[in-house]
Amino acid sequence: STFYVNGWSGDDITTHAASNKADFREYDQRFVTPENSRTLTNWNAVYEMIRAANTVIQSVEGVDLADPDPDKQERLTGETYFLRAIMFNHLMRIHGRIPLVLTVDPFQQPILNSQVEVFQQIESDLLAAESRLPSSTTVGSARPSSGSARAFLARLYMDWAGFPLKDNSKYAMAA
């Protein structure tokens, strides 16, 4: 439930004042403090997924794995870019500026990137996913397709065009 906590913001249902959901209530009121335990749990879990995606990307990019099914390898790489983009997008929508950790390096000291840099990285990952993912999947599949990547790109461009960046050129890209 913690992963979706930002989706409940403003609903006034999940965080009734008489309940024990103070951490959720901060999200509901869109005023999240650094001490919020749900935020730390979510932050760490999302960056673990990003680390796993980075491991895969670093392991397969530019390497011929001699996979007997190169289409499968390409699809799985596309899914990895898709997942990383979704995770960065999730954090960006909650926190705005976030560190863009793009490599597996235990000694790196991440810095907060600008929102434009974050949007550009998410766009880059979604474009990489779109070019690698199949055009369709089976009905009800949990796997993304190139259409899934395009849908998230449209959503990204709508966010980019809105507050706080207000880059109106992104509306045409969303369309």
Side-chain angles (χ1 to χ4, degrees):
S1 63
T2 299
F3 184 82
Y4 298 105
V5 71
N6 192 50
W8 304 333
S9 298
D11 71 2
D12 296 330
I13 296 172
T14 54
T15 63
H16 188 274
S19 71
N20 64 348
K21 304 289 192 253
D23 285 345
F24 289 132
R25 197 164 25 263
E26 288 184 8
Y27 281 91
D28 196 43
Q29 296 168 348
R30 296 191 185 273
F31 186 75
V32 183
T33 64
E35 294 80 24
N36 187 304
S37 66
R38 304 281 179 175
T39 299
L40 182 59
T41 300
N42 192 33
W43 180 273
N44 288 338
V46 170
Y47 271 105
E48 274 300 307
M49 288 184 269
I50 290 169
R51 182 201 54 76
N54 288 340
T55 299
V56 171
I57 291 168
Q58 277 183 237
S59 297
V60 301
E61 287 301 311
V63 175
D64 180 14
L65 298 178
D67 191 316
D69 187 353
D71 291 338
K72 179 181 176 185
Q73 180 180 329
E74 194 71 1
R75 177 182 51 84
L76 292 173
T77 303
E79 289 177 6
T80 304
Y81 276 106
F82 183 82
L83 175 65
R84 186 170 75 176
I86 299 308
M87 293 301 99
F88 280 140
N89 192 60
H90 176 73
L91 287 176
M92 179 271 306
R93 290 182 59 79
I94 296 171
H95 302 286
R97 295 180 61 203
I98 60 170
L100 289 173
V101 179
L102 302 172
T103 60
V104 179
D105 178 359
F107 302 108
Q108 67 183 316
Q109 296 294 318
I111 60 167
L112 287 178
N113 292 85
S114 72
Q115 282 193 289
V116 169
E117 291 170 317
V118 173
F119 278 106
Q120 289 170 337
Q121 183 60 51
I122 296 167
E123 177 187 41
S124 174
D125 281 355
L126 287 172
L127 290 170
E130 179 188 15
S131 69
R132 289 172 169 86
L133 292 171
S135 59
S136 65
T137 58
T138 58
V139 174
S141 174
R143 295 189 176 281
S145 66
S146 60
S148 306
R150 284 192 304 278
F152 274 94
L153 269 169
R155 171 67 186 266
L156 175 73
Y157 293 140
M158 293 296 289
D159 288 342
W160 204 333
F163 180 82
L165 298 178
K166 299 182 181 178
D167 183 344
N168 289 333
S169 70
K170 300 303 178 190
Y171 284 122
M173 295 177 80

